[in-house]
Amino acid sequence: MAVADDEQFDTVTSLRAQPFTMEHWGLSLPEVDATPETAHGPLDADERRQLAEAHRAVDNARTARWMLGFSLEVVRRRRLYRGTDGARTWEQYLDQEHDGLSTSEADRLQKTWRLAQAVQKELGRPLPDSHLRGLQPYAERTSDEEAARAYTMLYRAHQEGGVRLVAKQVQQRVKKAVAAAKGVPDPADRSEAVSAAWKAAPEAPMPGQRIQGRARGGEPGRSTDPVDVALRLLHAAQQTVENAIADDASRKSRREEDARRQQAAIRKIGRALSKVEVDADVADGDVVEAELVED
């Protein structure tokens, strides 16, 4: 029986060496890159399918993140980390099997996977890790399900407003909602106070974040003006930078001189953008003035 168990263990561990493959995705690289002449106008059906498949890769990566937390909890609570000799510790397991994953990060993943799963069920897609960190205090004072409903409400409100929800907005709103429960001893009353404060906050996105315009032909929609397109890219870049800055693991390993260099580069980009002037054809001697508005 021991031999059979060892053979089964060897079979299971051998699966660890098998890499993930992309056969289940419908993505393929083109032989020749698309150009403005060969790819223009709205996406056709095949292009929309390709884009959706690309987005699946992002969602799969975010889903795998909270599934890692689930698997870590299983290994820890069942003490599967002790290995074949029965002597390996939890810390040794993380170091050997998870490339030196710290115990604090492993604890965080185990603590947050239920909330991430609840959001994915409620929203229909996984949330970014930076949003998850910002939402966790809300879940701790209410429940994972209530926090998932609240986040979904906020996310969809921003989607309907044509504005991307960023981690900083989640953190700020959670902070205000949590503050409403300060000093409330009863857990049920505390949860109700947090939920009420969250719902009382305005749903509309910040006006300075909204990018408005009219598509060609006079139909409402996203502006096709190249400046507006560039602004949308800048907003996406801003979110990427904010999420990168919020990465605790990177912050802990970053050297002071690197932080100063990065901060100087960000400031330099900001100064360069502040000097950009937007021109327009003006009729009847009217004057068009553009000013820098900080969100």
Side-chain angles (χ1 to χ4, degrees):
M1 183 66 178
V3 174
D5 288 343
D6 288 342
E7 290 178 350
Q8 183 178 13
F9 181 80
D10 290 339
T11 300
V12 172
T13 54
S14 68
L15 295 176
R16 181 71 179 266
Q18 302 301 315
F20 284 109
T21 62
M22 296 191 296
E23 280 74 8
H24 65 288
W25 282 333
L27 287 178
S28 61
L29 288 171
E31 295 182 2
V32 180
D33 288 355
T35 66
E37 290 73 27
T38 60
H40 53 83
L43 298 179
D44 60 28
D46 184 62
E47 288 174 324
R48 290 196 299 271
R49 181 187 62 79
Q50 289 278 335
L51 182 60
E53 288 293 332
H55 289 170
R56 283 183 61 198
V58 177
D59 290 346
N60 286 341
R62 289 173 176 169
T63 300
R65 185 70 174 165
W66 67 255
M67 291 181 68
L68 171 59
F70 170 75
S71 67
L72 286 171
E73 185 170 340
V74 170
V75 171
R76 180 182 59 80
R77 293 178 62 182
R78 293 183 180 275
R79 299 179 62 85
L80 302 178
Y81 56 79
R82 66 188 189 277
T84 55
D85 62 358
R88 187 166 62 176
T89 65
W90 171 245
E91 290 76 12
Q92 290 172 332
Y93 165 77
L94 294 177
D95 184 61
Q96 296 171 8
E97 303 291 350
H98 291 278
D99 301 318
L101 181 69
S102 67
T103 54
S104 60
E105 178 64 8
D107 290 343
R108 190 187 72 81
L109 289 169
Q110 294 171 78
K111 184 178 180 181
T112 60
W113 75 261
R114 290 177 177 82
L115 173 58
Q117 182 191 52
V119 172
Q120 185 161 340
K121 288 181 177 179
E122 184 74 24
L123 184 61
R125 58 176 296 181
L127 79 171
D129 201 44
S130 58
H131 290 205
L132 178 62
R133 288 194 296 269
L135 189 62
Q136 184 64 31
Y138 188 103
E140 291 172 354
R141 289 161 178 80
T142 56
S143 67
D144 293 328
E145 292 71 24
E146 170 60 27
R149 287 191 292 269
Y151 177 84
T152 299
M153 175 183 68
L154 184 64
Y155 180 90
R156 288 176 176 164
H158 278 69
Q159 288 291 99
E160 292 171 1
V163 180
R164 180 183 295 276
L165 177 64
V166 299
K168 186 176 181 180
Q169 293 168 321
V170 177
Q171 294 166 358
Q172 291 175 340
R173 186 164 180 140
V174 168
K175 184 178 180 179
K176 291 180 180 179
V178 168
K182 186 177 181 179
V184 180
D186 183 73
D189 292 341
R190 187 164 58 244
S191 175
E192 184 176 348
V194 172
S195 299
W198 179 278
K199 294 173 183 176
E203 290 304 317
M206 296 289 290
Q209 296 171 314
R210 188 186 295 272
I211 301 174
Q212 295 178 326
R214 298 184 70 84
R216 290 173 183 169
E219 293 297 325
R222 278 194 166 187
S223 171
T224 57
D225 187 316
V227 175
D228 282 330
V229 174
L231 287 173
R232 287 196 288 269
L233 293 175
L234 281 173
H235 278 279
Q238 178 185 354
Q239 182 192 14
T240 301
V241 172
E242 289 178 348
N243 291 345
I245 292 173
D247 190 303
D248 291 335
S250 298
R251 178 178 58 79
K252 292 177 181 177
S253 63
R254 185 178 296 118
R255 297 179 302 175
E256 186 177 350
E257 55 266 32
D258 290 333
R260 286 198 297 266
R261 172 182 54 78
Q262 293 165 349
Q263 186 69 73
I266 292 173
R267 293 285 183 262
K268 183 177 180 181
I269 293 172
R271 289 194 298 270
L273 288 174
S274 69
K275 297 177 182 179
V276 174
E277 295 183 359
V278 180
D279 298 324
D281 288 334
V282 183
D284 300 326
D286 292 336
V287 177
V288 175
E289 295 182 352
E291 61 177 330
L292 179 66
V293 178
E294 296 183 0
D295 293 340

